[in-house]
């Protein structure tokens, strides 16, 4: 049945599916995991880093990219599609500054990205963008977090994950996220790392972390800083397991 309806992006199947959009979602599910946590005064992005070839410069393999001084995006899916889409969003953000003489809001940029994605699901001779985005930033000193998907829908979140094993990471965030916890910037950062460690096997080596705070530009954490956070989390886990052993022995 699918073979009859997946050749043109504008054709619905009898049960209401656009198969090309669903195939684009599959490309997202096969992408590296990305997670975002919105705190009270900080927004954190974390992505799973895949191992690069021995002779490859890993600086050229980025999953966290800035759109404007106060807006940043992480993505899961096709890197080439992401490069084109993010460059278009950057031009739009700069055009907004030129025309309005003010910075675009995070929601404005998110809506622009979502509209462009949706347009590519409704036109012949095109295919959907094969990526989902986590878009973070600050609007008037208020942290923002949005997610978009290949269909062109977008929504605001307190914490979310996309890519491979996104369901596992999202379940972890639902269980451990609380408003009180993320009031502390470091705890919000650690929550993002803990969520990624649920699906990343090799610890800090496979995690790229970025933090954006009020009135500050995006900062990509060094490998040493990520390793320090991972070590701190491991110590906390060991202390917690020791407490449980003590209670059970009593």
């Amino acid at each position: 049945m699918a073979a009859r309806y997946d050749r043109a992006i504008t054709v619905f199947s009898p049960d209401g599916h656009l198969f090309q959009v669903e195939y684009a979602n599959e490309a997202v599910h096969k992408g590296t995991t990305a997670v975002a946590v919105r705190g009270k005064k900080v927004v954190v992005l974390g992505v799973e880093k895949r191992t690069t070839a021995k002779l490859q410069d890993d600086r050229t393999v980025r999953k966290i990219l800035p759109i404007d001084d106060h807006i940043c995006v992480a993505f899961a899916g096709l890197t080439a599609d992401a490069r084109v889409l993010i460059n278009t969003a950057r031009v739009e953000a700069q055009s907004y500054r030129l025309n309005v003489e003010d910075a675009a809001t995070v929601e404005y940029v998110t809506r622009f990205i979502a509209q462009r994605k949706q347009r590519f699901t409704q036109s012949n001779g095109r295919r959907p963008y094969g990526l989902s985005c986590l878009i973070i930033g600050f609007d008037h000193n208020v942290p923002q977090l949005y997610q978009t998907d290949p269909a062109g829908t977008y929504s605001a979140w307190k914490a979310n994950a996309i890519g491979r094993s996104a369901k596992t990471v999202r379940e972890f965030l639902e269980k451990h996220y609380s408003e009180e916890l993320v009031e502390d910037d470091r705890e919000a950062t650690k929550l993002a790392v803990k969520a990624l460690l649920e699906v990343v096997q090799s610890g800090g080596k496979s995690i790229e972390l970025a933090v954006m705070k009020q009135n500050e530009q995006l900062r990509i954490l060094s490998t040493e800083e990520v390793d320090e956070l991972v070590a701190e989390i491991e110590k906390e886990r060991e202390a917690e397991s020791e407490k449980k052993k003590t209670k059970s022995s009593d």
Side-chain angles (χ1 to χ4, degrees):
M1 175 84 63
R4 295 171 53 193
Y5 296 100
D6 65 354
R7 295 179 185 178
I9 184 60
T10 55
V11 178
F12 280 95
S13 69
D15 53 354
H17 290 275
L18 284 172
F19 284 109
Q20 289 294 327
V21 174
E22 293 188 8
Y23 298 158
N25 278 316
E26 284 302 312
V28 172
H29 296 325
K30 290 179 180 177
T32 51
T33 309
V35 63
V37 175
R38 189 187 77 195
K40 190 175 181 181
K41 297 179 181 179
V42 69
V43 199
V44 185
L45 275 180
V47 295
E48 174 190 2
K49 283 197 302 187
R50 281 189 176 154
T51 53
T52 54
K54 189 176 180 180
L55 299 179
Q56 187 178 14
D57 186 348
D58 62 358
R59 291 177 304 164
T60 60
V61 184
R62 290 290 183 198
K63 292 283 184 177
I64 299 176
L65 297 165
I67 291 178
D68 204 342
D69 292 340
H70 64 299
I71 303 174
C72 180
V73 62
F75 66 90
L78 302 180
T79 304
D81 284 16
R83 184 185 70 245
V84 172
L85 184 61
I86 291 167
N87 281 342
T88 306
R90 285 170 174 166
V91 171
E92 179 63 23
Q94 294 307 307
S95 297
Y96 188 96
R97 278 184 182 272
L98 187 65
N99 293 326
V100 184
E101 296 184 357
D102 197 6
T105 64
V106 182
E107 185 175 4
Y108 176 88
V109 172
T110 302
R111 189 167 61 246
F112 171 82
I113 290 172
Q115 284 174 343
R116 188 166 180 85
K117 285 183 175 183
Q118 195 279 333
R119 204 177 304 136
F120 273 62
T121 69
Q122 215 172 359
S123 307
N124 281 317
R126 295 175 174 180
R127 65 161 175 80
Y129 283 98
L131 74 149
S132 278
C133 300
L134 290 172
I135 303 162
I136 66 164
F138 278 83
D139 289 339
H140 310 294
N141 292 327
V142 178
Q144 306 287 344
L145 167 60
Y146 291 91
Q147 186 238 331
T148 69
D149 65 16
T153 57
Y154 74 93
S155 51
W157 293 77
K158 294 177 181 177
N160 197 12
I162 54 175
R164 181 180 66 85
S165 305
K167 186 179 177 183
T168 304
V169 177
R170 199 175 296 118
E171 286 172 354
F172 176 88
L173 289 169
E174 287 171 358
K175 186 177 178 182
H176 294 89
Y177 180 95
S178 70
E179 297 289 348
E180 295 76 20
L181 179 72
V182 297
E183 282 185 3
D184 183 273
D185 293 355
R186 190 165 181 83
E187 289 300 323
T189 308
K190 281 163 63 177
L191 180 61
V193 176
K194 286 176 184 176
L196 275 176
L197 287 173
E198 290 292 300
V199 295
V200 172
Q201 301 301 322
S202 51
K205 294 179 188 175
S206 299
I207 294 175
E208 184 179 355
L209 208 62
V211 176
M212 186 180 286
K213 296 183 180 180
Q214 283 182 2
N215 303 315
E216 293 182 22
Q217 291 190 2
L218 182 80
R219 187 171 76 87
I220 305 284
L221 271 62
S222 65
T223 307
E224 292 75 19
E225 288 175 299
V226 176
D227 286 338
E228 184 183 326
L229 283 166
V230 171
E232 191 176 326
I233 290 164
E234 291 299 329
K235 281 182 182 178
E236 287 177 4
R237 286 178 176 173
E238 285 173 14
E240 197 173 322
S241 63
E242 285 295 325
K243 281 182 183 178
K244 286 179 181 177
K245 283 179 185 177
T246 308
K247 282 182 182 178
S248 60
S249 62
D250 291 343

